Amino acid sequence: MTTKLVISGLALLVGTGYGAAALAQQKPEVLVKQRQSAMTLVGKYWGPIAGMPSGKAPYNAETVTRNAGYLEVLSKMPWDGFADSTKDVKSAALPAVFTDTAKFKEAGDRMQSTIAQLAKVSKGGDEASVKAAIADVGKTCAGCHDNFRQKQ
Ligand code: HEC
């Protein structure tokens, strides 16, 4: 490939972002591993704050702000990994992920918007509002897992 071709190829990649063209070349097994890794990290930063609204974990504003910031970025990552090409790869994703795509996307959007809200409120918000925002995020995890993930 000439340099010019490589450059225009790169420009195309940048232009389409994580669009279908770039994803089509990803191995399905790799996409599954990546989406699971993103979810694993979501679990890592969600865990310490999940129990704060109920008092199971002591409230710590600093932890919430830090973790919510991480979660805001992580919550954008799993979704392009649920590409159609992955539907036959063994994973905990139920077939509904690939058939009921509108509902799945809506559940993912809800998670992202409640996390974005939490990240906002966690910067200087009072304890009650932050706890309410954490609880709102929590509902979205189960809300999706109940319909789209194999029972553990
Ligand atoms: C829109 C749907 C959806 C939402 C919202 C969602 N998840 Fe998931 N999650 C899934 C699916 C589907 C899987 C199984 C993925 C697979 O096996 O490929 C999964 C897997 C996981 C895993 C296991 C990862 C692994 O493979 O080891 C963890 C941990 C997890 N989710 C945590 C969370 C937490 C915490 C939240 C909320 C903050 C959340 N998820 C929100 C759909 C969702």
Side-chain angles (χ1 to χ4, degrees):
M1 224 191 264
T2 67
T3 311
K4 205 172 157 198
L5 262 179
V6 171
I7 289 170
S8 65
L10 277 176
L12 188 72
L13 266 179
V14 171
T16 53
Y18 59 83
L23 275 183
Q25 278 130 45
Q26 282 275 21
K27 279 209 181 87
E29 291 75 15
V30 173
L31 286 174
V32 169
K33 199 165 173 205
Q34 288 167 337
R35 77 190 186 206
Q36 290 174 338
S37 305
M39 278 288 176
T40 299
L41 287 176
V42 167
K44 173 179 174 186
Y45 292 105
W46 170 245
I49 64 176
M52 288 183 190
S54 67
K56 268 188 220 136
Y59 182 70
N60 181 319
E62 224 170 273
T63 304
V64 181
T65 309
R66 186 194 73 152
N67 288 22
Y70 292 162
L71 287 168
E72 194 172 11
V73 180
L74 287 168
S75 68
K76 302 181 204 296
M77 293 183 191
W79 318 119
D80 59 7
F82 291 96
D84 216 41
S85 63
T86 64
K87 66 175 187 280
D88 298 324
V89 180
K90 199 171 167 301
S91 80
L94 292 176
V97 168
F98 307 100
T99 53
D100 207 348
T101 48
K103 197 171 160 198
F104 184 70
K105 182 174 186 306
E106 197 186 308
D109 288 348
R110 205 170 306 131
M111 172 198 177
Q112 290 177 79
S113 61
T114 55
I115 286 177
Q117 178 63 17
L118 171 63
K120 208 160 115 195
V121 174
S122 75
K123 291 181 195 130
D126 61 85
E127 184 172 329
S129 324
V130 174
K131 283 181 170 175
I134 295 173
D136 283 345
V137 174
K139 283 181 221 143
T140 71
C141 312
C144 183
H145 291 166
D146 286 352
N147 296 316
F148 295 103
R149 183 171 73 151
Q150 262 164 36
K151 303 278 166 287
Q152 304 292 294

